[in-house]
Amino acid sequence: QKEVEQNSGPLSVPEGAIASLNCTYSDRVSQSFFWYRQYSGKSPELIMSIYSNGDKEDGRFTAQLNKASQYVSLLIRDSQPSDSATYLCAVNVIRGGSNYKLTFGKGTLLTVNP
Amino acid sequence: EAGVAQSPRYKIIEKRQSVAFWCNPISGHATLYWYQQILGQGPKLLIQFQNNGVVDDSQLPKDRFSAERLKGVDSTLKIQPAKLEDSAVYLCASSLNGGGIQETQYFGPGTRLLVL
């Protein structure tokens, strides 16, 4: 089982709709989770981080974490064409002591159609 | 605040040649990371430095890849000799302290390498 799994998509939604991106992880002791956005040909940029079970909202973005199910998601409300990008889920995996390694999924390609 | 700087932005070489990439992290950031991102994949950590010491290089192909971070600031990643499968984007990232549980990593623009 891969450490971080995402549906590679593409996920296509109409402008104004809610886009739902999902991610599962295998290391049960993982404690911090990140969503990065990566435009084609660009480097990843951080959108959201979440550490506790439940929802965390930031503008049009909501991250949801369920540690019991080892599941983290990102909701984008009122999707805009400018949201079209690859969304990378990243999980901090403990590797001993206080050292962590950020492990990325393959990413989900989101296309928002005008 | 200036971001992570990388050079060159693009590089095309033939297999068996050598190549080097340079990274300058955000000022004051102690931790520096090199990632390899193959097309269609997420970034994969190659090596992590804490100041000028190596924290993790478990996924660095040491027979051909080497990296150093002299004086705990700039870093170089070298490939010698290059193989076709090394074609990828090489991303440098930095974070403030030691890569702790809630620490954010900031990525540079990357170097796109094509090996022919």
Side-chain angles (χ1 to χ4, degrees), chain A residues 1-4 24-33 67 70 91-96 100-101 103:
Chain A
Q1 181 184 9
K2 294 181 180 178
E3 289 183 288
V4 182
T24 58
Y25 58 95
S26 60
D27 189 340
R28 188 168 291 277
V29 300
S30 297
Q31 297 186 43
S32 56
F33 308 86
K67 291 185 179 180
Q70 295 174 240
V91 177
N92 247 337
V93 178
I94 193 167
R95 56 185 172 200
Y100 295 85
K101 182 176 78 174
T103 301

Side-chain angles (χ1 to χ4, degrees), chain A residues 56-67:
Chain A
K56 179 182 178 182
E57 187 174 317
D58 184 0
R60 295 186 296 112
F61 299 95
T62 299
Q64 299 175 318
L65 174 61
N66 184 326
K67 291 185 179 180

Side-chain angles (χ1 to χ4, degrees), chain B residues 8 37 46 49 54 79 104:
Chain B
Q37 187 174 24
L46 293 176
F49 292 96
V54 176
I79 307 175
T104 298

Side-chain angles (χ1 to χ4, degrees), chain A residues 32 36 38 41 43 92 95, chain B residues 37 48 56 101 105 108 112:
Chain A
S32 56
Y36 282 82
Q38 187 172 29
S43 59
N92 247 337
R95 56 185 172 200
Chain B
Q37 187 174 24
Q48 176 182 341
D56 183 354
I101 187 172
Q105 295 184 24
R112 284 152 183 77

Side-chain angles (χ1 to χ4, degrees), chain A residues 31-32 34 36 38 41-44 46 51 88 92 95 98-102 104-107, chain B residues 35 37 40-43 45 48 55-56 59 91 99-105 107-109 112:
Chain A
Q31 297 186 43
S32 56
F34 305 84
Y36 282 82
Q38 187 172 29
K42 302 295 184 182
S43 59
L46 183 68
Y51 315 117
L88 297 163
N92 247 337
R95 56 185 172 200
S98 58
N99 292 323
Y100 295 85
K101 182 176 78 174
L102 198 60
F104 287 83
K106 288 187 175 183
Chain B
Y35 287 89
Q37 187 174 24
Q41 305 283 325
L45 180 69
Q48 176 182 341
V55 174
D56 183 354
Q59 297 192 96
L91 295 163
I101 187 172
Q102 297 186 0
E103 195 158 276
T104 298
Q105 295 184 24
F107 285 83
R112 284 152 183 77

Side-chain angles (χ1 to χ4, degrees), chain B residues 71-107:
Chain B
K71 300 180 181 179
V73 181
D74 294 5
S75 178
T76 57
L77 176 69
K78 297 179 181 178
I79 307 175
Q80 182 178 12
K83 293 185 175 182
L84 297 177
E85 59 261 35
D86 298 331
S87 295
V89 176
Y90 290 85
L91 295 163
C92 180
S94 70
S95 64
L96 186 59
N97 291 313
I101 187 172
Q102 297 186 0
E103 195 158 276
T104 298
Q105 295 184 24
Y106 299 89
F107 285 83

